[in-house]
Amino acid sequence: MTVEAVFRREYGRCVATLIRFLGDIDAAEEAVQDAFTVAAARWPSDGEPPNPGAWIVTTARNRAIDRLRRESVRDERHAQARHLYGADTAGSAPPQEEGTVPDDRLRLIFTCCHPALNQAAQVALTLRLLGGLETPEIARAFLVPEAAMAQRIVRAKRKIRDARIPYRVPAEAELPGRIAPVLAVVYLVFNEGHAATAGSLLRLDLCAEAIRLARVLAELMPDEPEAQGLLALLLLLHARRAARVAADGSLARLAEQDRQLWDRDLITEGQAIVRACVQRDHPGPYQLQAAINAVHSSAPSFDSTDWRAILTLYDQLYTLTPTPVVALNRAVALAEVRGPAAGLAAVDELRTPGGGLDGYYLFHAARADLLRRLGRDEEAAAAYDAARALTANPVEQAFLDAQRTAVSGPPAAPRGAPPRRLHIPDK
Amino acid sequence: MTQYLLALYRDYAVAISPERSQQVWAGVNSLGDRMTDAGAFVFKGGLQGGAESATVVRQSGGDFLMTDGPYTETKEHLAGFWIINAADLDEALEWAKLAAVAEQQPIEVRPLFGGDLDDAIQANASDAQ
């Protein structure tokens, strides 16, 4: 394994352990980076140590202790001031105990995703400290100028230090409220990559990174069903990545995807987790969304999809998270079970004040699709126009233009695209 | 231990009913007792009058400039504050939740600076980053 590969795999673990030793995030990052520099110089000739992660932690810790000693000679009080509350005192831990305790990463996750930090800061810190991504990489992935991203990370670290955000796993009683932002950060990272599938490869890396983080969470919190549910959801969505882009570069929806291209290994893994969640029977929004995707994944074709099962799952999801977007997805599933007229009636109900979907392009796109299937072409064309006006995404625009042309084109011309169904991403 | 400021903000354009004032008075007193018992209480104060009772003083050349009214032109203004001792932000946030309930207003939590001149120099120098 190359030093880079070890870096990707072990960085978060090492930084998390070093933060506990040193009580300071910057000092921990510095020490771990120092250790990797030493590794890059030595490993190619000396060979890689049997346990590279432990080697990095030991080397980083020794270097940090040297540095702290030098600093404390210079200014004792200053070295003390760097200490993060709740961390071990540097040098007091037994030197043998480099065992990278998984709890350290868990502490780090909860610190990075502390509710006192805004979500953009949570995401940046999580990718930086746990994922080991460089600031410029994170900036490119989120289309934010590098200086702005660097500032975001510096500010967040400073708030952790100044406001004394603790470095610990929350108590059992606080956990439910504290897990939600952690899972949301990982889901957001995935969505950022997923939504940009047609774009650059670099952003696709975000999906892989999110899955890596979701695996860590699922491993560290085996008793938290929503952590398992999130991992399953991401695996099942990621399994379709190769099929999501059609040959012409346009985005292929569930109905048009070549299911041969789906990644069977990820589907098998995701479905196994969903089955375990079902047995545990503590459903939550991520588990239900995973279950919905598991049903899609087990259908050999779009038409053989078990829409009744999907509708039932959306009913449950709506009970837990009664949002208009879930209601819209439920209405689309209803259209498959009871026909487009029933689906349209359910969609139109969401238009009433309080439905709040009038500014959401997928609402109009779903309506348009159902109207077209009912042969109400003029109304469908108007709904496609409404949808078109609400999206800035060129791939979506191209799709809607094609759909609109299909319903409003001159009767003599053959209707281009075969009827296509919309799949609305879960939000 | 760190000291934290729990600052209470209110919109003075919205009047507070006598019943609510009684509730807040009782709630704030009982929270003060609770903080004292827990060793968290340092000081609290409510501000007299609305934002219009404020005066801002600025040094201007060799003179001073006074402006009538609060420093920030916002809808909501500082109306009172607590100074508490807490082990970390989580503990301070727990008190802040209780304060938000007692005061029936939003509470801003800020750590107090606890260092010396060297720390102040370092902190002030890096503020613009």
Side-chain angles (χ1 to χ4, degrees), chain A residues 395-407:
Chain A
V395 179
E396 297 293 353
Q397 287 177 347
F399 169 81
L400 292 166
D401 286 344
Q403 297 295 97
R404 196 206 186 282
T405 309
V407 289

Side-chain angles (χ1 to χ4, degrees), chain A residues 408-416:
Chain A
S408 62
R415 296 203 167 171

Side-chain angles (χ1 to χ4, degrees), chain A residues 96-117:
Chain A
Q96 283 79 14
E97 206 262 304
E98 269 81 44
T100 42
V101 191
D103 276 18
D104 286 334
R105 271 183 307 172
L106 204 51
R107 287 173 207 232
L108 185 53
I109 287 168
F110 281 107
T111 301
C112 290
C113 300
H114 194 279
L117 298 170

